[in-house]
Structures are given as C-alpha cells and as structure tokens.
C-alpha cells in the first residue's frame, strides 16, 4: 500500500512540478518535505481557467510539506499539502504566436487525462492544500506597449493572500470523508469534485510599471492640465479582506476535463483612503485587465497549450458591500456599491471561445465630500418605481448548462432588475463578418445625477486618463460589434448661481436608449429608397465598413429651479427652503438615427468616413417651450456656463497620443477628408413656442406670444460630383400660426376693469390652406467647383413657395407689442430687456456672431488663406436661377377700434377680414436669373463671363384685390378662423426688369423696366364713400407713423442713428404727420370714387353734426380747471402771507383762458 501511495504522489507531483524526479521524493514516515520547487505554469493555467492572453511566467514554492494519513484511512482521509510561500507572476503576452511556438517546444509531456479515474486521481482530488502566504504579481499591458506610451502603461498589482485553505467537501459544501464525497458521482454520468476555498487576509498593492520611471527621468511629471499621471510610487488599494469560494470540477467518466465553476463570495471590500494618483493608476489597471480578458486577436493555435483546461468555465464573484474613499488635498470622493455581481462564462471547442460576461450592481452612490455642502453626484432615483423583472437578452439565455448540479444555492440573485445590469457576448478570436464579434446590452434603472463643475472636471480627467480603450486592442478592425444601452429614467440637475431668480436647471429624461449595430433597421432615414445607400438596404450583408447608430427618448423635460422665499417656513427655528421647478422645454418621442459606410468597403475607422456616405436623421413628435425674458437670460447664462465647462473638459480629456494623427489630418485638401455623400434631415411634427411675460408674483408669467407649427421637415444634402460639390436644401412646413396677447390699451375696458379673457391670445399670423400645398416649400441647389478655373460651373438654384398666409394687426399693433415685450423703450429706443439680452449675447458664446469677419486685403493673402483653409473661396455664382411665389395671401389692416370689437364680439360666425380693410392676391411671383432675354444698351457677353449674377428679374401678381369692410358668409375652420367665400377677379400685373450697363466713364449700373403688362380678367367695381375713405386714410396715417417709429427704433438698436443723422431720425419718428401725402389730386364734387387726402376730408366734414368726442372732453377739462383756479384764488385772497401764491394762480388762470380760446377756434374749423 505504501508503494502504491508513493507512485500516486509521484504521478501527481510530476503533473504539477517542473523537472521533478523520483530521487527528490523521500518519504519519512508519513511526511514528505520538498523545497525550491518550480510549478508547471501550463498545468496551473489550465486548472485555473486563465484567459489565453495571460501567461504564468513564474510559479515557485519555497517549502512544501506533504502529510499522509494512515495507510488504512487513505481512501477516506485527505492528504494535507502545506506550503509556506507561493510566488506567482502572471504577465500578459503581446505576441501569442511566438509564445505558442516556444511553449510547444519546451513544455514537457504530462500525464494524459481521459484514461480513467484511477487511484492517483482520487488521491489528488481529495488533497487539502494549506498555504501560509501567496504572493501574486499581475502585469497587464493594455495595449500600451504596442502604442509605445510609457505614461499610459498599466500599473502592476501585487496581491498577497495569507492563511489560504483549500479542502474537499460534499455537494452541500460540508466536510465529510472522501468516500462520502465521491458517492455523489456514483449514479451520475459525470465525475464531480467539490472544493471550498477560504482565506483570512487579502491585500492588493498597486505598483508602478518600470516604464514609468524611465518617463519620469525624462521630466514628464505632469501634463498640460496639471494631472498627476506619470509619477506613481505605489499605494495599497485593499487590505484585510476575507472571503470564501466554492469550486465545482466536472469531468467525464473517463476523467476528461469538462467544466469548472468558481463562485467567490466577499462580504465587504473597503478602501478607506486612496490618493488621486492612486485612483488614476487603479483605473489604468482595470483598463489593462479588461483589454487582457477581451482581446480578440488570439490565435486559435495558441490555445493548444490549454488542452488540459475545461471546455466550460464559469467564474462568478459576489461582493455584498464596496466602499471606496478617495482623499486628496483638494479632492474627496466616496463610492458605495451594494450587491456587486460579476460572472464570466466561457465555452470553447478548441477553435473558437464564446465568453458571456454579466455585471450587476444593486445600488450605487457617488458623493463629493469636499464641496460645501457635500452632495451626491450619482444615486438611484428617489421616486418609487415598479419593480421589473431582470431583462436578459436572447444571447444570454441558456448560454451555458449549469456545472454545479444542484443549481445556484450559495446566493440567489433577486428576480427583479438591479440598478445596473450588463450582458456581453464575445467571440475569441473575432469571426469574420457577417458574424458579430461582440454583443453588449446595458440596462439601467432610474438614476439621479448632480453635475458640479469641479467634480465633473476631476472625474473627466480621471476617465480620460484611466479608462481609454482603443478599438484595435479589443478586436480587429474587420470585426463588427453591437451595443444596446437603455436607461429607464434620468434626472440631471445643474446648479448655477447668478443674479436671477433661478438657481439651477433640471433635466428629466424617460426611456433613454442608444444602439450601435450595423443590423439596425432605421425607418427614419428610409435607406431602402436611397440609391446611394444600396449596400445598406435590407437583405444586404453587413460588414465592418458600415455603422448604424440610433438614440432617443420618450420624454425630455427641462425645467428651471427657483427659490421661493415667500413660501418658506420656519421649522424648529430654522428656515425650510421651498424649491420649485418651472417647465421650460418639453420634447416627446425624440429620435436620432445615423448611418454611414465607407466608399471602398474598407473597415470604417474614421468618423465620418472620408469619401463615404453619411445619413443623419433627427425627429421629434412634439416640442413645447415656455420661456420668459428672465428664463431666456438664465438659459443664455446656462449655455455660456456649459460652453466654458466644455472647453475645460476638452482640455482635461484631450488625448496626447493622437497629436501626431491630428497633425497628419491637418495636411492635405479638405475634399479628401469629408464624406462624398451626406444628408441631414430634421422633422418636427408638433411645434409650440410660448413666450411669457416676467412677473414678480408669478415666475412663469402670462403668455405674450405663442408660435405654433405643424409638420416641419428640413433636409440638407452634400454630394461630390467629380470636380465640384452640390449642396441641396429642402424645407417644408405645412402650417404656422402666431398668436399675440392684447396690448395694454385693449386689455382694460372703459370701466377700468380687466376682462375675464385677458389671457386670451389674438392671432396675427396664420395659414389657411388645404392639403394640396404646404405653407412653405423651399428647395435650393448650390453647385460649387473645387478649382477656380471651373467657375462657370458655380451655380445657384432657389425655388420657394409660401402659401395661404393671413396677416392681421397692422404696424400700430406691432409697435404696441414691441413696447409690451420690452424690445422698444418708452423713448422709442431699445428697451431695458433688449439691451440686457444683447449684452448677454455679445459677451457669451454667441459673441463671434456679432463680430465682422476680417476682409482679405490682397490677392496673396487670399491665396494663403485658401491654402490653409483647405477650400476655395469663390465669389458670386455664375449661374443664378431664383423663383419665389407667394400664393393666396391676405393682409388685414386692423385699427384699434376694430381690435376692440373683435375682443368683445368674437363669435364663431364673425369674420375678422370683414371688419377691416384688407388686401389679397392669388399669386405673387418673382423670378430672377443670370441670363437676359433682351438687354437694353448692353454688350453681348459670352457664356461663363457674366459680370453680375442676376441680370433679369420678372415680377408678377395675379388676382390683386383691395376690399373694404363688408358682411359675407363663409365657412368656419377648425382653428377658430373663417374662410370667406372665394371671389374671382382682381388685377394682374407683370413687369420685366433687366440690367442696363451704361458705357459711360463711371460705368454706372441701372435697372430698367423692359416691359409692363396690366390685365383684368373680370370686371372690377370700386365703390367707396367719403367716410370710408376718410377712415382708411386715418388708418394709413397711423400705420405710417408706427412704421416710422419702428424703423427709427431698429436703427437705434443697431446703433446706426449717427450715420443716418438726427434730422432723418426726427422725420422717421413723425413720418405720418409731416410727410404723409399719398394723394396727388383732389376729388371732384359729389364723386364717391377716388383717393382723397385726409386734410380735404377733414375740411369737407367741418359742418358735420357729430362733434369730436376728444375735443369735447378737452373742453370740459379746461372748464373744470378754470373753476378750481377761481375757487383757489378766492381762498388765497383773504390771507396776506399767500399773496405770492395768489399771483401764480392768477397767471395759471390766464393761461387756461388762452387755451380755451384756442380750443374754440379749433372747434370752429372742425
């Protein structure tokens, strides 16, 4: 029996040890002692199920002692192996092919598995291993050596484990005799071995990579942003961690390895203090480890050395609580994770390995304790959400049959979804298309994120420094991958301290998703009907030359947070602050889809692909906006704040390793860098913009202007045409409506009481059309040549049609609205709100828009600019074709009294156009092109040598009519407006205007009317009375006055009053009073048809029996003032001290008397 046991031990030791001979094995009683042994790395690699890219370069045992049981109990009692120190070195191998060839030549032959489950195998499976100290050094490169970046080298991890114990148990993880442990496999078709692993103390130290010291000696201590990236002297990451693991080994009946399952459980992992350089090193270490585990460039023949490994491997790690504390002089973060679960299942057939990785996090809290007060940066949502079942993608279902025969009994995961779950399926090596190399699905429950500037900058620097993986490090360029990311809810708060009533912004997103896969079906882009995207059509094979992305959300709501001090209450002597959110922007069903493909079918590595095809589509089902002036200023401040922070983030997160690549991209022409065919589209189905009035009582305010639009579609395309590029634009808008509030004069009735419908808006611009044609249809094609010699190919074609427009209100109403909105002040200049807004714009991120571009002074400077910019700066197009059509327009001239009647009598059967003068036409067309049919006094110009882009203009109007107020029946429209019964007729007018180039010395350019056509298709009847004509003349005078004042205000806003002159500004302010003379002749007596000046109408009506109410009111006020002055004079006449005041009262009475005389004379004239 002793010899049989000795041969069994020798058999086992030869398998695990290198260069082991029988002479080394000396049995002294029941004890065997060995020292300075080298463990076979391949055997250890296969037994532990390590990834192929990770090699066991060193495995040494200091002192090994084997304690045998009594020979009679060798079948039931285990053999105990005690090791005082075990040193292991695991290193990532960059060249797997070289290792495979060298390893196959040097690896000694080991006892073959599969010959049966003999005595030696039973003895080896029942051994108990005790290791006093395990020193493990893990070195991963993370692709840094291939890039030659010492700064970005992944640090090494030194793992120390003390008092490690590995022993055999039964299927219930209980310590029993070996015979009972083996009895479980008697009636099974497989051989099962159950082992339990325990350790008392585990610590992890991060050590600097040797290449870092070389970089430090060269002086590379910090980057430009001050990040402490290079120098890292080592730091302890974890200490004092205890845990246990459950190991299940599954073999066939012939003892061939079949499956290995490792379930590791750690109750608590605490890192009390980690410095910022240590955190950067830790992130780089995890990045290198991730690259090592998921490298897709593994040669299949490199796995031959792992033939002893099990075909199925399942490793799972469960950590109940994780606490990290990052402490630095000016940076402190606390990370708390609950129920972290990691599992990796591998299935190998000898050629291809499939790996399924699962990561689940039950809870996550990230706090910034350095800020005052401390705040939570990331945490689960505080709102109660219904528990949902765990979503497992199709590729993760039934992936690997269970290895442990009794199922998951150690810890059972909850059936409901965790906070964050990740499922990834990867094929190693990466298969050729159209098979996917990897598929990833990430699901997140509602999260809350608090964006704080300093914390975001530091975290961005950490992520840019540590978590940076190149695509080529994981999988080859020819591989194709799939990614799906979903977040059920996301609440983002942005604090901002300024002088406004708002303290921050809150962004609420529901059902946020992002997908990246070449197999996506993008309905928004409609690729199947795009000839340029034939390789992206349905049914075409997918490969690495294609990329498709889609992102969207069911709801995006942006609100502004305000601090309401009026509602604050004192609780226990302290003030409880009440914060409210006011909705600012709301978007529903937002979707962004992107598709691109390279031109030659090569792998798509540069985005966008040079010379390739790119399609981008943006769609929004509903867009609602409620913005007041104060909210707009806060949003501008917020945008400025985001721009500043983005610049800082770009500086912190810049990639130093891509400087050489960017320098190469800066050379060469622009045409070689941009895609050859690009199209970008935007679609908005329901658009509502509401501008509110700021109020001290109500932050949201009352609505002033509401803009409503339906079915907006815009598309811009770019195509390369050999020696030129064509830029096409399409804009289609079905319906638009603009509603404005009443002005202050129309908001209060005669009794000084505000009406109940004060908040009701008044339509001033709307569209009245059918389904045959939209409100706006614009198409533009611009062809730009690449070479200056091909300027004859430079052309511009524009076609636009605007139909069904209805305009109401007039200039007087527009002026009142400008004053109401604060655009114009009481003095006619820019209002306070407008001045403040322009100041925000000029000092914010839009400041570049308010600066004029510098002109090129010379031809050499222009050529130098073209050389560096990469594109040709051309002049006006050589061929221009512009067509503009206004179809079915109506202008309503509503005065103040008409608007007042419309307010208090707004029944459904009343028509606004009936109450006022209005002008309408069926069609107004303008056509301009660069060719002249019959030029006047001009030279013959050869094609391609036109001096001016536009030389011929044709203007025509059809069905022009001017109608006075009248009653007529019509049809009611759904929006509350009415459509009058269509009346035929009107005036048709067409004029041809051509360019006339004078041959004089000055070379003056003039436009002349070549032909004029005037026609009337139906009889025209013009009937107007004197009172109606007087009324429209007064309206026109008031409109001209308002138009002049608005023009003067615009000039003052643009600061052009100095160039125009004060005299011209005064004339504009009194345009209707001083220069209003639109009538050239007097009307004959008794005539009721014609155009008569307003002064003549006033003189003809001086004997009217209806006095002017304004003059009567003024006369009553003067009489009342005179009586008051007389009573005051009588009272003051009896006092000597009031004599001086009496003189002033008498002078005032004399002035009132003279004013009464002037008033009487004015009444006699009227």
């Amino acid at each position: 029996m002793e010899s049989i046991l000795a041969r069994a031990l020798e058999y086992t030791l030869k398998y695990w040890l290198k260069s082991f001979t029988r002479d080394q094995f000396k049995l002294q009683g029941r004890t065997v002692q060995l020292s300075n042994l080298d463990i076979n790395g391949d055997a250890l690699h296969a037994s532990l199920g390590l990834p192929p890219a990770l090699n066991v370069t060193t495995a040494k045992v200091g002192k090994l002692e084997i304690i045998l049981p009594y020979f009679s109990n060798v079948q039931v009692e285990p053999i105990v192996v005690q090791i005082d120190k075990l040193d292991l070195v695991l290193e990532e191998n960059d060249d797997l092919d070289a290792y495979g060839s060298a390893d196959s030549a040097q690896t000694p032959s080991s006892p073959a598995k599969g010959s049966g489950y003999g005595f030696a195998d039973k003895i080896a499976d029942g051994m108990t291993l005790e290791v006093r100290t395990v020193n493990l050094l893990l070195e991963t490169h993370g692709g840094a050596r291939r890039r030659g970046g010492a700064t970005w080298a992944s640090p090494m991890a030194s793992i120390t484990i003390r008092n490690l114990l590995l022993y055999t148990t039964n299927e219930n993880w209980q310590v029993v005799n070996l015979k009972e442990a083996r009895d479980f496999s008697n009636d099974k078709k497989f051989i099962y071995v159950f082992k339990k692993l325990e350790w008392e103390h585990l610590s992890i130290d991060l050590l600097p990579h040797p290449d870092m010291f070389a970089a430090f000696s060269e002086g590379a201590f910090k980057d430009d942003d001050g990040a402490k990236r290079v120098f890292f002297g080592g730091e302890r990451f974890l200490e004092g961690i205890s845990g246990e693991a459950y190991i299940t080994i599954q073999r066939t009946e012939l003892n061939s390895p079949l499956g290995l399952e490792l379930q590791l459980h750690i109750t608590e992992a605490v890192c009390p203090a980690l410095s910022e350089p240590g955190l950067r090193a830790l992130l780089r270490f995890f990045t290198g480890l991730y690259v090592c585990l998921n490298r897709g460039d593994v040669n299949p023949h490199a796995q031959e050395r792992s033939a002893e490994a099990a075909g199925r491997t399942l490793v799972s790690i469960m950590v109940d609580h994780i606490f990290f504390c990052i402490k630095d002089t000016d940076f402190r973060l606390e990370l708390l994770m609950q129920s972290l679960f990691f599992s990796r299942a591998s299935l190998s057939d000898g050629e291809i390995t499939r790996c399924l990785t699962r990561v689940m996090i039950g809870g996550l809290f990230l706090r910034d304790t350095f800020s005052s007060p401390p705040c939570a940066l990331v945490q689960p949502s505080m709102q109660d959400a219904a528990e949902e079942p765990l979503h497992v993608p199709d590729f993760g279902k039934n992936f690997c049959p269970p290895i442990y025969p009794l199922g998951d009994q150690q810890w059972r995961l909850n059936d409901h979804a965790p906070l964050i779950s990740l499922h990834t399926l990867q094929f190693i090596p990466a298969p050729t298309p159209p098979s996917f190399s990897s598929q990833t699905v990430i699901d997140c429950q509602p999260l809350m994120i608090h964006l704080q500037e300093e914390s975001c900058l530091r975290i961005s620097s950490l992520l840019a420094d540590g978590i940076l993986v190149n695509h080529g490090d994981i999988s080859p360029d020819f591989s194709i991958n799939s990614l799906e990311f979903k977040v059920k809810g996301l609440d983002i708060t942005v604090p901002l301290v300024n002088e406004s009533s708002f303290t921050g912004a809150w962004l609420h997103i529901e059902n946020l998703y992002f997908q990246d896969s070449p197999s996506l079906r993008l309905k928004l882009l409609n690729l199947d009907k795009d000839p340029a995207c034939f390789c992206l059509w349905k049914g075409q094979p997918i490969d690495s030359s294609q990329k498709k992305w889609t992102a969207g959300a069911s709801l995006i709501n942006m609100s502004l947070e305000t601090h309401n001090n009026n509602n604050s209450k004192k609780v226990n002597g302290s003030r409880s602050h009440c914060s409210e959110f006011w909705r600012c922007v709301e978007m529903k069903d937002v979707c962004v889809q992107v598709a691109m493909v390279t031109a030659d079918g090569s792998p798509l590595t540069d985005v966008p692909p040079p010379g390739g095809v790119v399609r981008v589509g943006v769609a929004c089902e509903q867009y609602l906006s409620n913005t007041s002036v104060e909210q707009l200023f806060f949003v501008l401040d917020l945008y400025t704040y985001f721009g500043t922070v983005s610049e800082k983030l770009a500086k912190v997160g810049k990639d130093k390793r891509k400087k050489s690549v960017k320098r190469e991209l800066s050379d060469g022409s622009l045409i070689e860098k941009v895609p050859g065919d690009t199209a970008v589209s935007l679609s908005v189905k329901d658009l509502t913009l509401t501008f509110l009035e700021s109020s001290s009582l109500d932050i949201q305010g009352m609505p002033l202007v509401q803009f409503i639009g339906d079915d907006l579609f815009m598309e811009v395309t770019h195509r390369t045409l050999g020696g030129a590029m064509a830029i096409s634009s399409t804009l289609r808008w079905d319906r638009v409506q603009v509603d404005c509030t009443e002005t202050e004069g129309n908001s209060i009735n005669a009794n000084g009481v505000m009406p109940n419908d004060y908040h009701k808006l008044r339509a001033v611009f709307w569209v009245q059309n059918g389904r045959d044609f939209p409100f706006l249809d614009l198409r533009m094609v611009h062809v730009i040549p690449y070479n200056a010699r091909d300027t004859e190919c430079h052309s511009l074609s524009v076609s636009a049609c605007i139909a069904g427009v209805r305009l109401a209100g007039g200039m007087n109403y527009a002026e009142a609205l400008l004053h109401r909105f604060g655009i114009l002040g009481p003095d006619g200049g820019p209002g306070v709100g407008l001045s403040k807004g322009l100041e925000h714009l000029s000092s914010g991120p839009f400041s570049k828009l308010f600066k004029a571009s510098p002109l090129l002074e010379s031809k050499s400077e222009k050529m130098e600019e073209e050389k560096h910019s990469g594109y040709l700066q051309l002049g006006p197009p050589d061929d221009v074709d512009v067509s503009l059509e206004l179809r079915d327009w109506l202008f309503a001239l509503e005065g103040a009294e008409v608007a007042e009647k419309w307010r208090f009598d707004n029944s459904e059967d009343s028509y606004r156009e009936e109450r006022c003068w209005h002008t309408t036409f069926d069609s107004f067309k303008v056509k301009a092109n660069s060719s002249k049919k019959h030029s006047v006094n001009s030279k013959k110009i050869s094609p391609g040598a036109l001096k001016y882009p536009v030389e011929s203009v044709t203007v025509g109007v059809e069905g022009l009519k001017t109608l006075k107020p009248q009653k007529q029946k019509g049809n009611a429209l759904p929006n509350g407006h009415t459509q009058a019964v269509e009346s035929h007729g009107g005036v048709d007018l067409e004029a041809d205007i051509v360019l006339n180039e004078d041959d004089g010395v000055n070379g003056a350019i003039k436009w002349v009317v070549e032909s004029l056509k005037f026609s009337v298709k139906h009889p025209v009847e013009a009937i107007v009375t004197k009172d109606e004509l007087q009324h429209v003349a007064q309206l026109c005078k008031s409109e001209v006055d308002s138009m002049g004042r608005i023009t003067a205000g615009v000039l003052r806003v643009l600061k052009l009053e100095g160039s125009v002159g004060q005299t011209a500004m005064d004339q504009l302010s009194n345009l209707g009073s001083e220069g209003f003379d639109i009538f050239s002749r007097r009307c004959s007596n008794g005539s009721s048809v014609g155009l008569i000046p307003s002064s003549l109408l006033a003189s003809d009506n001086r004997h009217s029996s209806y006095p002017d109410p304004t003059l009567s009111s003024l006369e009553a006020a003067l009489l009342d003032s005179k009586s008051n002055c007389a009573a005051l004079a009588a009272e003051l006449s009896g006092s000597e001290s009031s004599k001086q005041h009496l003189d002033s009262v008498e002078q005032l009475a004399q002035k009132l008397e003279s004013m009464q005389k002037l008033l009487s004379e004015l009444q006699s004239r009227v």
Side-chain angles (χ1 to χ4, degrees), residues 413-467:
L413 299 177
N414 295 326
D415 294 334
H416 64 270
L419 180 64
I420 301 175
S421 64
L422 179 145
H423 294 78
T424 299
L425 175 63
Q426 185 182 12
F427 293 83
I428 301 176
T432 58
S435 299
F436 283 93
S437 175
S438 66
Q439 300 181 55
T440 304
V441 176
I442 304 175
D443 292 325
C444 294
Q445 295 301 309
L447 291 175
M448 295 179 61
I449 299 177
H450 183 79
L451 296 181
Q452 198 173 26
E453 180 179 354
E454 295 297 332
S455 301
C456 290
L457 291 177
R458 286 300 185 94
I459 294 176
S460 299
S461 177
L462 293 172
L463 297 179
D465 188 4
I467 304 179

Side-chain angles (χ1 to χ4, degrees), residues 16 72 127 134 222 302-303 310 523 802 814 920 1033 1058 1096:
W16 286 100
S72 60
M127 285 184 178
V134 177
K222 289 186 178 181
Q303 297 183 356
K523 298 180 180 179
I802 307 176
T920 179
L1096 180 59

Side-chain angles (χ1 to χ4, degrees), residues 800-818:
C801 179
I802 307 176
V805 174
R806 299 294 183 264
L807 290 173
M811 300 302 296
N812 195 2
Y813 178 69
E815 182 187 11
L817 290 179
L818 292 177

Side-chain angles (χ1 to χ4, degrees), residues 760-835:
K760 190 172 183 178
L761 300 178
R762 172 185 179 186
V764 297
F765 181 97
W766 68 94
V767 176
Q768 185 174 299
N769 55 6
R771 298 181 179 179
D772 298 336
F773 49 88
F775 151 69
L776 175 61
D777 190 359
L778 172 65
R779 302 177 186 275
M780 182 178 68
V781 179
H782 193 188
V783 180
I784 304 175
Y786 298 143
N787 198 326
R789 294 173 297 181
D790 301 330
T791 53
E792 66 275 3
C793 300
H794 191 191
S795 63
L796 175 64
S797 176
V798 180
S799 175
C801 179
I802 307 176
V805 174
R806 299 294 183 264
L807 290 173
M811 300 302 296
N812 195 2
Y813 178 69
E815 182 187 11
L817 290 179
L818 292 177
H819 285 281
R820 177 74 179 276
F821 299 160
I823 298 177
L824 296 181
D827 58 347
V832 179
L834 181 61
S835 301

Side-chain angles (χ1 to χ4, degrees), residues 2 241 253 255 610 828 1008:
E2 180 180 356
I241 298 178
E253 294 180 337
N255 200 26
V1008 297

